[in-house]
């Protein structure tokens, strides 16, 4: 059976406007800022991103990671951050009602999920022009192509490590990928999604009735 995929409608103007809100956060100058946003649950894979950060630190990479979200794994993640001695560079911020200003200041948006639907966070990251590293989950290659608009890794800690490392090894690629992400984000705008949805239903009605709508 032939299928057609239609994207959710994203109000990019609201996202961009909300992203301009001021936030009070201290970050180290000239240190790449990583960010993960989502529920602190097993399927979101934040635990393996923390292990990736431990490996990156051992390999002498400089970075900071902000984790936005709440969930049943918070205590486990807090123990991991302490166990791996990451308190200086990994911060659990909890639930943030408006995450967009934090997303705006991030250099790299990371999606470490073990499994995922079509990611709202990745879609919003594209609208804000963020360099993205994500594991291969449902819809990621559809959104990012073959690592054209963001890095899509194998779904493993190893994949995440090398995906983040690729940006940290060549900081200039963060800027280049951000520009490409913003181009992809334009394809996900509200007007585009609404237009494609209207086009789909007009074509569907035309096929059923034989009447052409213009």
């Amino acid at each position: 059976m032939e299928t057609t995929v239609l994207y959710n409608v994203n109000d990019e103007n609201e996202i961009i406007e909300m992203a301009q809100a001021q936030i009070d956060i201290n970050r180290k100058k000239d240190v790449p800022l990583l960010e993960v946003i989502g529920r602190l649950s097993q399927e979101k894979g934040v635990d393996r991103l923390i292990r990736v950060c431990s490996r990156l630190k051992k390999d002498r990479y400089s970075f900071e990671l902000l984790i936005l979200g709440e969930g049943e794994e918070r205590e486990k993640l807090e123990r991991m951050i302490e166990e791996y001695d990451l308190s200086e560079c990994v911060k659990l911020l909890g639930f943030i009602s408006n995450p967009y200003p934090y997303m705006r200041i991030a250099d790299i948006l990371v999606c470490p999920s073990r499994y995922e639907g079509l990611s709202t966070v990745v879609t919003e990251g594209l609208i804000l022009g963020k360099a993205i590293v994500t594991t291969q989950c449902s819809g990621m290659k559809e959104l990012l192509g073959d690592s054209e608009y963001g890095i899509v890794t194998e779904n493993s800690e190893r994949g995440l490590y090398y995906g983040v490392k690729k940006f940290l090894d060549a900081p200039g690629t963060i800027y280049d990928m951000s520009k490409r992400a913003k181009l992809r984000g334009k394809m996900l705008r509200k007007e585009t999604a609404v237009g494609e949805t209207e086009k789909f239903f007009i074509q569907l009605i035309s096929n059923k009735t034989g009447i052409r709508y213009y």
Side-chain angles (χ1 to χ4, degrees):
M1 180 182 295
E2 184 179 350
T3 60
T4 301
V5 176
L6 298 172
Y7 294 114
N8 292 332
V9 175
N10 300 284
D11 192 337
E12 74 284 351
N13 291 328
E14 182 179 16
I15 291 170
I16 293 169
E17 182 178 353
M18 291 178 70
Q20 301 311 308
Q22 297 300 307
I23 53 175
D24 184 16
I25 187 166
N26 292 321
R27 57 174 296 187
K28 296 176 183 177
K29 187 177 181 181
D30 298 326
V31 172
L33 179 61
L34 284 62
E35 196 168 298
V36 59
I37 303 172
R39 181 168 176 78
L40 306 184
S41 54
Q42 192 269 346
E43 71 272 12
K44 295 297 185 181
V46 180
D47 58 314
R48 56 185 182 174
L49 179 58
I50 289 175
R51 283 189 287 271
V52 165
C53 287
S54 176
R55 183 175 173 184
L56 289 168
K57 182 181 177 183
K58 289 177 182 176
D59 290 342
R60 300 184 180 277
Y61 285 95
S62 295
F63 63 89
E64 290 184 296
L65 170 65
L66 299 182
I67 302 170
L68 281 66
E70 278 294 352
E72 60 270 21
E73 291 217 327
R74 182 181 180 108
E75 289 185 7
K76 170 187 171 181
L77 299 176
E78 288 175 336
R79 290 194 300 270
M80 290 179 69
I81 291 169
E82 185 175 350
E83 176 187 349
Y84 292 125
D85 192 26
L86 294 170
S87 299
E88 288 298 313
C89 57
V90 177
K91 307 293 183 184
L92 275 166
L93 300 187
F95 173 76
I96 305 290
S97 59
N98 177 13
Y100 302 121
Y102 294 86
M103 192 182 291
R104 171 177 55 82
I105 67 170
D107 296 304
I108 305 167
L109 189 64
V110 186
C111 180
S113 294
R114 290 181 168 90
Y115 50 92
E116 183 85 52
L118 190 68
S119 175
T120 299
V121 170
V122 169
T123 303
E124 293 169 341
L126 290 169
I127 289 171
L128 290 177
K130 296 289 102 179
I132 295 168
V133 176
T134 177
T135 51
Q136 170 53 26
C137 295
S138 176
M140 293 306 185
K141 286 198 173 181
E142 187 179 342
L143 288 171
L144 302 176
D146 189 14
S147 292
E148 184 179 0
Y149 303 106
I151 295 176
V152 182
T153 77
E154 66 179 42
N155 200 323
S156 67
E157 281 183 32
R158 178 183 180 277
L160 276 172
Y161 171 80
Y162 284 107
V164 174
K165 181 177 180 292
K166 186 172 182 179
F167 278 136
L168 297 183
D169 280 337
T173 61
I174 297 174
Y175 176 71
D176 292 338
M177 189 63 81
S178 296
K179 290 195 295 184
R180 282 190 256 166
K182 186 165 281 190
L183 287 174
R184 180 67 176 119
K186 290 179 180 179
M187 304 177 198
L188 303 172
R189 288 179 172 178
K190 179 171 62 176
E191 292 84 356
T192 303
V194 170
E196 289 298 317
T197 302
E198 289 177 346
K199 181 179 176 181
F200 169 76
F201 282 110
I202 289 171
Q203 185 64 46
L204 185 66
I205 293 169
S206 298
N207 290 342
K208 284 180 177 290
T209 64
I211 300 173
R212 296 294 172 185
Y213 295 84
Y214 299 96

